[in-house]
Amino acid sequence: TVTQVTTIDRIDTLILDIPTIRGHVLSMATMRTQAAVLVRIRFSDGSEGLGEGTTIGGLSYGPESPESIRSAIDTYLAPALIGRAADDVNGGVQLMDHVARGNRIAKTAVEIALWDGLGKRLGVSVAQLFGGAVHTRLPVAWTLASGNSDTDIAEAEQMIATGRHRIFKLKIGKRAVADDVAHVARIKSALGDAASIRVDVNQTWTLTEARRGLPALQDAGCELVEQPVAARYLGAMAELTRSHAIAVMADEALGGPEDALAVAAKGAADVFAVKIAQSGGLKRAAEVVAIGQAAGLGLYGGTMLETGLSTAAALQLFATVERLDWGTELFGPLLLTADILAQPIIYRDFHVEVPTGPGIGATLDPYKIEFYRRDRAPRIAV
Ligand code: MUC
Ligand code: MG
C-alpha cells in the first residue's frame, strides 16, 4: 500500500479592517482600526489551518505593515511552502527563515496556520503539541489609553466592577515626563490597591528622561515600566534595570531568541514581554520564554492586539508556560468592535480562558470576515 503524504495545497491571505471601541492613544500612533492579516492554509487531505498577523498603528510600531505582511506571504513564503509535507512544521519554519529574513509577523501568521492544521488533523490542541497545557486560564490586563485621565479612571472602575480586569497598562510617552507621571499618579490613587498599574512608554524616552521618570513612577505606585527607551539602547535599559526597584520590561527589544539572549546577557530587563508575532512564531516565542526562564527573568504574555484568532494561538503557547509572573495582556478581541470568532474567547473573573478544541481552538464567523475584509465588494451598487 502507498501512504499518501498530506501536503500544503494552497495558502490564501486577506486583510480585515476592524474599528476599535475607542481611540487607542499610543506614544507613536492613535489606533482607530486594527488591520489583521488572515491566513488560511488548505491541505491535500481537505484539512485547513488558520493564522493571523497584526502590527500596531500601521508602520509606526515596527518594520512590518499589514500590507507588507500580506505581500511577504503571497510572494515569498507561500510559494516556498506549497507542495511540502503538511505535518513538517519545523521544516516549514526553517524554510521560511531561509527564504526571508526578518518578516517575523508574516512568518508567525503562516506558522500558526501550520500548527492549527496539524492539531486539527491529530485531533489535539496546539498546547498539546507543545507538551500540554498547565493552565486553563491566565490573568489578563487591560490597556488604558483613551488619552484622558478621567475617561481612563471610569473605564478602569468599570473593568474592576465587572470582574474583567484589575491589571492596567497605561500608555505614556507622548507628553512631558512630569505630565505623564501626574496622569499615572492620579489613576493609581483613584483605583488604590484594587489595581496593579504599569506603564508602556513604547521607546519614547531618552535615557535622561527615563532616569527622572522611573523613580517618579515608582513613587506614584507604578509597578513596572515597559520599553522606556529605544529597543537598541540595551546599555541604557541595563542601567535603568540596575538602578531602580521598579521592574523594567523589554518589549520592542525582543525580536526573537537572539535578541532575548542579548537582553538577558546584558541585564537589560527584569521581565520579558513575550509576543508570538514579535518573536517570529509560537516556536520562536517558546525559545524566548526558555531564555527568559534560564536567565531568571519575569515573563509576561504580550499582544500585538490580535483578533481572537491569534489571541487563541498565543493562549495555546502561554498555557504551557510554568510561570507568567506578570500575567498576560491578551485582550485584543475586547478592543475591537467586532469579534470574528464563531465562539469568542471567554473573559471572566479577571482571567482569559484557554480555548479548548483541536488546533488553536478558534473558528471564524464567515459573515464577519465578509463584512470586514478590505477588498469586499461594495454593498450598494452605484
Ligand atoms: C505594546 O507595545 O505593548 C499591547 C497592548 C497595547 O495596548 O498595545 C500593545 C503594544
Ligand atoms: Mg509594549
Side-chain angles (χ1 to χ4, degrees):
T1 57
V2 180
T3 31
Q4 202 68 36
V5 173
T6 302
T7 55
I8 299 170
D9 261 9
R10 269 185 75 151
I11 302 183
D12 294 306
T13 58
L14 61 84
I15 299 180
L16 303 179
D17 292 302
I18 308 175
T20 55
I21 55 171
R22 56 153 167 73
H24 201 55
V25 185
L26 317 175
S27 65
M28 65 290 181
T30 297
M31 295 173 64
R32 300 194 184 281
T33 61
Q34 176 59 307
V37 183
L38 295 198
V39 176
R40 173 184 269 116
I41 304 187
R42 290 176 218 268
F43 301 97
S44 60
D45 66 346
S47 62
E48 284 189 3
L50 296 170
E52 177 197 358
T54 57
T55 181
I56 291 160
L59 270 169
S60 66
Y61 178 86
E64 290 178 87
S65 67
E67 298 74 24
S68 83
I69 293 165
R70 187 174 188 202
S71 101
I73 297 170
D74 290 350
T75 317
Y76 298 97
L77 304 180
L81 290 168
I82 303 290
R84 286 182 50 89
D87 294 352
D88 182 18
V89 181
N90 285 342
V93 169
Q94 289 159 16
L95 181 64
M96 286 196 284
D97 278 344
H98 186 74
V99 300
R101 288 181 194 266
N103 290 280
R104 292 178 187 278
I105 305 172
K107 291 172 184 174
T108 300
V110 175
E111 189 231 25
I112 289 169
L114 291 173
W115 286 119
D116 187 43
L118 179 58
K120 283 174 178 156
R121 284 190 297 281
L122 297 175
V124 299
S125 69
V126 171
Q128 198 68 61
L129 299 176
F130 278 79
V134 294
H135 309 283
T136 56
R137 58 179 207 159
L138 293 164
V140 61
W142 176 252
T143 297
L144 299 172
S146 71
N148 176 286
S149 307
D150 293 320
T151 310
D152 284 354
I153 291 167
E155 199 173 287
E157 280 171 344
Q158 201 214 337
M159 295 296 184
I160 295 169
T162 55
R164 272 259 300 264
H165 309 274
R166 57 186 167 204
I167 304 170
F168 300 100
K169 163 158 142 177
L170 279 49
K171 288 290 192 174
I172 63 168
K174 239 185 123 155
R175 295 175 289 192
V177 174
D179 294 338
D180 271 340
V181 170
H183 166 74
V184 175
R186 263 199 73 199
I187 292 178
K188 177 63 190 173
S189 71
L191 303 178
D193 292 338
S196 166
I197 300 295
R198 302 131 184 221
V199 296
D200 190 354
V201 191
N202 281 113
Q203 316 190 69
T204 315
W205 283 347
T206 62
L207 178 56
T208 314
E209 287 171 322
R211 281 176 181 147
R212 278 188 286 123
L214 265 64
L217 286 169
Q218 190 178 312
D219 289 346
C222 175
E223 292 173 37
L224 172 146
V225 54
E226 180 173 339
Q227 203 62 58
V229 297
R232 64 182 178 280
Y233 298 159
L234 293 190
M237 293 273 286
E239 182 202 303
L240 297 168
T241 302
R242 222 175 22 243
S243 311
H244 305 283
I246 186 170
V248 172
M249 183 152 79
D251 175 10
E252 286 91 328
L254 292 175
E258 297 85 356
D259 283 354
L261 184 61
V263 171
K266 291 207 160 76
D270 298 295
V271 184
F272 280 178
V274 184
K275 293 180 171 174
I276 57 170
Q278 201 154 260
S279 300
L282 296 174
K283 193 167 170 61
R284 299 292 178 231
E287 293 165 359
V288 171
V289 165
I291 292 167
Q293 287 169 330
L297 302 179
L299 295 174
Y300 179 65
T303 183
M304 290 287 262
L305 301 174
E306 290 100 344
T307 72
L309 196 64
S310 274
T311 298
L315 282 165
Q316 295 295 330
L317 178 69
F318 294 139
T320 70
V321 177
E322 184 177 6
R323 283 177 59 182
L324 285 162
D325 303 84
W326 295 85
T328 76
E329 58 178 16
L330 294 172
F331 66 83
L334 301 176
L335 187 66
L336 305 176
T337 50
D339 200 309
I340 63 165
L341 299 191
Q343 266 127 30
I345 307 270
I346 297 166
Y347 294 88
R348 179 156 65 197
D349 189 23
F350 304 109
H351 287 72
V352 55
E353 299 188 1
V354 179
T356 52
I360 59 173
T363 318
L364 295 176
D365 176 341
Y367 298 102
K368 301 275 178 54
I369 305 307
E370 212 36 58
F371 188 80
Y372 291 104
R373 60 189 294 168
R374 186 174 286 185
D375 63 356
R376 84 183 141 125
R379 235 132 261 278
I380 300 162
V382 284

Coordinates of all heavy atoms in Angstrom, one line a residue, residues 126-175:
V126 N -3.1 22.9 20.1 CA -1.7 23.3 19.8 C -1.0 23.2 21.1 O 0.2 22.8 21.2 CB -1.6 24.6 19.1 CG1 -0.2 25.1 19.1 CG2 -2.2 24.5 17.7
A127 N -1.6 23.5 22.3 CA -0.9 23.4 23.6 C -0.5 22.0 23.8 O 0.6 21.7 24.3 CB -1.9 23.8 24.7
Q128 N -1.3 21.0 23.3 CA -0.9 19.6 23.4 C 0.4 19.3 22.6 O 1.3 18.6 23.0 CB -2.0 18.7 23.0 CG -2.0 17.3 23.4 CD -2.1 17.1 24.9 OE1 -3.2 17.5 25.4 NE2 -1.1 16.6 25.6
L129 N 0.4 19.9 21.4 CA 1.6 19.8 20.5 C 2.9 20.3 21.2 O 4.0 19.9 20.9 CB 1.4 20.4 19.2 CG 0.2 19.9 18.3 CD1 0.0 20.7 17.1 CD2 0.4 18.4 18.0
F130 N 2.7 21.3 22.1 CA 3.8 21.9 22.8 C 4.0 21.3 24.2 O 4.6 21.8 25.1 CB 3.6 23.4 23.0 CG 4.0 24.2 21.7 CD1 3.2 24.3 20.6 CD2 5.3 24.8 21.7 CE1 3.6 25.0 19.5 CE2 5.7 25.5 20.5 CZ 4.8 25.6 19.4
G131 N 3.4 20.1 24.3 CA 3.7 19.3 25.6 C 2.6 19.3 26.6 O 2.7 18.6 27.6
G132 N 1.5 20.1 26.3 CA 0.4 20.1 27.2 C 0.2 21.4 28.0 O 1.2 21.9 28.5
A133 N -1.0 21.8 28.2 CA -1.3 23.0 29.0 C -1.2 22.7 30.4 O -1.5 21.6 30.9 CB -2.8 23.5 28.7
V134 N -0.6 23.7 31.2 CA -0.5 23.6 32.6 C -1.4 24.6 33.3 O -1.5 24.7 34.5 CB 0.9 23.7 33.2 CG1 1.8 22.5 32.7 CG2 1.6 25.0 32.7
H135 N -2.1 25.4 32.4 CA -3.1 26.4 32.9 C -4.4 26.3 32.1 O -4.3 26.0 30.9 CB -2.6 27.8 32.8 CG -1.3 28.1 33.4 ND1 -1.0 28.2 34.7 CD2 -0.1 28.2 32.8 CE1 0.3 28.4 34.9 NE2 0.9 28.4 33.7
T136 N -5.5 26.5 32.7 CA -6.8 26.6 31.9 C -7.2 28.0 31.7 O -8.0 28.3 30.8 CB -7.9 25.9 32.6 OG1 -8.1 26.5 33.9 CG2 -7.6 24.4 32.8
R137 N -6.6 28.9 32.4 CA -6.9 30.3 32.3 C -5.7 31.1 32.8 O -4.9 30.6 33.6 CB -8.1 30.7 33.0 CG -8.0 30.4 34.5 CD -9.3 30.8 35.3 NE -8.9 31.0 36.7 CZ -9.6 31.8 37.5 NH1 -10.7 32.3 37.2 NH2 -9.2 32.0 38.8
L138 N -5.6 32.4 32.3 CA -4.5 33.2 32.7 C -5.0 34.6 33.1 O -5.9 35.1 32.5 CB -3.5 33.3 31.5 CG -2.7 32.0 31.2 CD1 -2.1 32.1 29.8 CD2 -1.7 31.7 32.2
P139 N -4.3 35.3 34.0 CA -4.7 36.7 34.3 C -4.5 37.6 33.1 O -3.6 37.4 32.3 CB -3.7 37.1 35.4 CG -3.0 35.8 35.9 CD -3.1 34.8 34.8
V140 N -5.4 38.5 32.9 CA -5.4 39.4 31.7 C -5.5 40.8 32.1 O -6.4 41.3 32.7 CB -6.4 38.9 30.7 CG1 -7.9 39.0 31.2 CG2 -6.3 39.7 29.4
A141 N -4.5 41.6 31.6 CA -4.5 43.1 31.8 C -5.3 43.8 30.8 O -5.7 43.2 29.7 CB -3.1 43.6 31.7
W142 N -5.6 45.0 31.0 CA -6.3 45.9 30.0 C -5.4 47.1 29.9 O -4.8 47.6 30.8 CB -7.7 46.3 30.6 CG -8.4 47.3 29.7 CD1 -8.7 48.6 30.0 CD2 -9.1 47.0 28.4 NE1 -9.4 49.1 28.9 CE2 -9.7 48.2 28.0 CE3 -9.2 45.8 27.6 CZ2 -10.4 48.3 26.8 CZ3 -9.9 45.9 26.4 CH2 -10.5 47.1 26.0
T143 N -5.4 47.7 28.7 CA -4.7 48.9 28.5 C -5.6 50.2 28.5 O -6.6 50.2 27.8 CB -4.0 48.9 27.1 OG1 -3.0 47.8 27.1 CG2 -3.2 50.2 26.8
L144 N -5.2 51.1 29.4 CA -5.9 52.4 29.5 C -5.2 53.3 28.6 O -4.1 53.7 28.8 CB -5.9 52.9 30.9 CG -6.6 52.0 31.9 CD1 -6.4 52.5 33.4 CD2 -8.1 51.9 31.6
A145 N -5.9 53.7 27.5 CA -5.2 54.6 26.5 C -6.2 55.5 25.8 O -6.1 55.6 24.6 CB -4.4 53.7 25.5
S146 N -7.1 56.0 26.5 CA -8.1 56.9 25.9 C -7.6 58.2 25.6 O -8.1 59.0 24.8 CB -9.4 57.0 26.8 OG -9.0 57.8 27.9
G147 N -6.5 58.6 26.3 CA -5.9 59.9 26.1 C -6.3 60.9 27.2 O -5.9 62.0 27.2
N148 N -7.2 60.4 28.1 CA -7.8 61.3 29.1 C -7.9 60.6 30.4 O -8.4 59.5 30.5 CB -9.2 61.7 28.6 CG -9.9 62.6 29.6 OD1 -10.4 62.1 30.7 ND2 -10.1 63.8 29.4
S149 N -7.3 61.2 31.5 CA -7.2 60.6 32.8 C -8.6 60.2 33.3 O -8.8 59.1 33.9 CB -6.5 61.5 33.8 OG -5.3 61.9 33.3
D150 N -9.6 61.1 33.3 CA -10.9 60.8 33.8 C -11.6 59.7 33.1 O -12.2 58.8 33.7 CB -11.8 62.1 33.8 CG -11.3 63.1 34.7 OD1 -10.8 62.8 35.8 OD2 -11.3 64.3 34.3
T151 N -11.5 59.7 31.8 CA -12.0 58.6 31.0 C -11.4 57.2 31.4 O -12.0 56.2 31.5 CB -11.9 58.8 29.5 OG1 -12.3 60.1 29.2 CG2 -12.6 57.8 28.6
D152 N -10.0 57.3 31.5 CA -9.3 56.1 31.9 C -9.8 55.6 33.3 O -9.9 54.3 33.5 CB -7.8 56.4 32.0 CG -7.2 56.4 30.6 OD1 -7.9 56.2 29.6 OD2 -6.0 56.8 30.5
I153 N -10.0 56.5 34.2 CA -10.4 56.1 35.6 C -11.8 55.4 35.5 O -12.0 54.3 36.1 CB -10.4 57.2 36.6 CG1 -8.9 57.7 36.8 CG2 -11.1 56.9 37.9 CD1 -8.7 59.0 37.5
A154 N -12.7 56.1 34.8 CA -14.0 55.5 34.7 C -14.0 54.1 34.0 O -14.7 53.2 34.4 CB -14.9 56.4 33.9
E155 N -13.2 54.0 33.0 CA -13.0 52.7 32.3 C -12.5 51.6 33.2 O -13.0 50.5 33.3 CB -12.1 52.9 31.1 CG -12.2 51.9 30.0 CD -11.3 52.2 28.8 OE1 -11.7 53.1 28.0 OE2 -10.3 51.6 28.6
A156 N -11.4 52.0 34.0 CA -10.8 51.0 34.9 C -11.8 50.6 36.0 O -11.9 49.4 36.3 CB -9.6 51.6 35.5
E157 N -12.6 51.6 36.5 CA -13.5 51.3 37.6 C -14.6 50.3 37.1 O -15.0 49.3 37.8 CB -14.2 52.5 38.1 CG -13.2 53.2 39.1 CD -13.7 54.6 39.5 OE1 -14.5 55.2 38.8 OE2 -13.1 55.1 40.5
Q158 N -15.0 50.5 35.8 CA -16.0 49.6 35.3 C -15.4 48.2 35.0 O -16.0 47.2 35.3 CB -16.5 50.2 33.9 CG -17.8 49.6 33.5 CD -17.9 49.5 32.0 OE1 -17.2 50.2 31.3 NE2 -18.8 48.7 31.5
M159 N -14.1 48.1 34.6 CA -13.5 46.9 34.4 C -13.4 46.1 35.7 O -13.6 44.9 35.7 CB -12.1 47.1 33.8 CG -12.0 47.7 32.4 SD -12.8 46.6 31.2 CE -12.5 47.5 29.7
I160 N -13.0 46.8 36.8 CA -12.9 46.1 38.1 C -14.3 45.7 38.6 O -14.4 44.5 39.0 CB -12.2 47.1 39.1 CG1 -10.8 47.4 38.7 CG2 -12.3 46.5 40.5 CD1 -10.1 48.5 39.5
A161 N -15.3 46.6 38.4 CA -16.6 46.2 38.9 C -17.2 45.0 38.2 O -17.9 44.2 38.8 CB -17.5 47.4 38.8
T162 N -16.9 44.9 36.9 CA -17.5 43.8 36.2 C -16.6 42.5 36.2 O -16.9 41.6 35.5 CB -17.8 44.2 34.7 OG1 -16.5 44.7 34.1 CG2 -18.8 45.3 34.6
G163 N -15.5 42.6 36.9 CA -14.7 41.4 37.0 C -13.9 41.1 35.8 O -13.4 40.0 35.6
R164 N -13.7 42.1 35.0 CA -12.9 41.9 33.7 C -11.4 42.0 33.9 O -10.7 41.1 33.4 CB -13.4 42.9 32.6 CG -14.6 42.4 31.9 CD -14.2 41.8 30.5 NE -13.6 42.9 29.7 CZ -14.2 43.6 28.8 NH1 -15.5 43.5 28.6 NH2 -13.5 44.6 28.1
H165 N -11.0 43.1 34.4 CA -9.5 43.3 34.6 C -9.3 44.1 35.9 O -10.1 44.9 36.3 CB -9.0 44.2 33.5 CG -9.3 43.7 32.1 ND1 -8.6 42.8 31.4 CD2 -10.4 44.1 31.3 CE1 -9.2 42.6 30.2 NE2 -10.3 43.3 30.1
R166 N -8.1 43.8 36.5 CA -7.6 44.6 37.6 C -6.1 44.9 37.5 O -5.5 45.4 38.4 CB -7.9 43.9 39.0 CG -7.3 42.5 39.0 CD -7.8 41.8 40.3 NE -7.5 40.4 40.2 CZ -8.1 39.4 40.9 NH1 -9.1 39.8 41.7 NH2 -7.7 38.2 40.8
I167 N -5.6 44.5 36.3 CA -4.2 44.9 36.0 C -4.3 45.9 34.8 O -5.0 45.6 33.8 CB -3.4 43.7 35.5 CG1 -3.4 42.5 36.6 CG2 -2.0 44.1 35.1 CD1 -2.8 41.2 36.0
F168 N -3.7 47.0 35.0 CA -3.9 48.1 33.9 C -2.5 48.5 33.4 O -1.6 48.8 34.2 CB -4.7 49.2 34.4 CG -6.1 48.8 34.8 CD1 -6.4 48.6 36.2 CD2 -7.1 48.6 33.9 CE1 -7.7 48.2 36.6 CE2 -8.3 48.2 34.2 CZ -8.6 48.0 35.6
K169 N -2.4 48.6 32.1 CA -1.2 49.1 31.5 C -1.6 50.5 30.9 O -2.6 50.6 30.2 CB -0.8 48.2 30.4 CG 0.2 48.6 29.4 CD 0.9 47.4 28.8 CE 1.1 47.6 27.3 NZ 1.9 46.5 26.7
L170 N -0.9 51.5 31.3 CA -1.1 52.9 30.8 C -0.1 53.2 29.7 O 1.1 53.0 29.9 CB -1.0 53.9 32.0 CG -2.2 54.1 33.0 CD1 -2.7 52.7 33.5 CD2 -1.7 55.0 34.1
K171 N -0.6 53.7 28.7 CA 0.2 54.1 27.6 C 0.7 55.6 27.8 O -0.2 56.5 27.8 CB -0.5 54.0 26.2 CG -0.7 52.5 25.8 CD 0.6 51.9 25.4 CE 0.4 50.5 24.8 NZ 1.6 50.0 24.3
I172 N 2.0 55.7 27.9 CA 2.5 57.1 28.1 C 3.7 57.3 27.2 O 4.0 56.5 26.4 CB 3.0 57.3 29.6 CG1 4.1 56.3 30.0 CG2 1.8 57.1 30.6 CD1 4.8 56.7 31.3
G173 N 4.3 58.5 27.3 CA 5.4 58.9 26.4 C 5.1 59.9 25.4 O 6.1 60.4 24.8
K174 N 3.9 60.3 25.3 CA 3.5 61.4 24.3 C 3.7 62.8 24.9 O 4.0 63.7 24.2 CB 2.0 61.2 24.0 CG 1.8 61.0 22.5 CD 0.3 60.9 22.2 CE 0.0 62.0 21.2 NZ -1.2 61.6 20.5
R175 N 3.5 62.9 26.2 CA 3.6 64.2 26.9 C 4.9 64.3 27.6 O 5.7 63.4 27.7 CB 2.4 64.4 27.8 CG 1.0 64.4 27.0 CD -0.1 64.4 28.0 NE -0.3 63.1 28.7 CZ -1.4 62.8 29.4 NH1 -2.3 63.7 29.5 NH2 -1.5 61.7 30.0

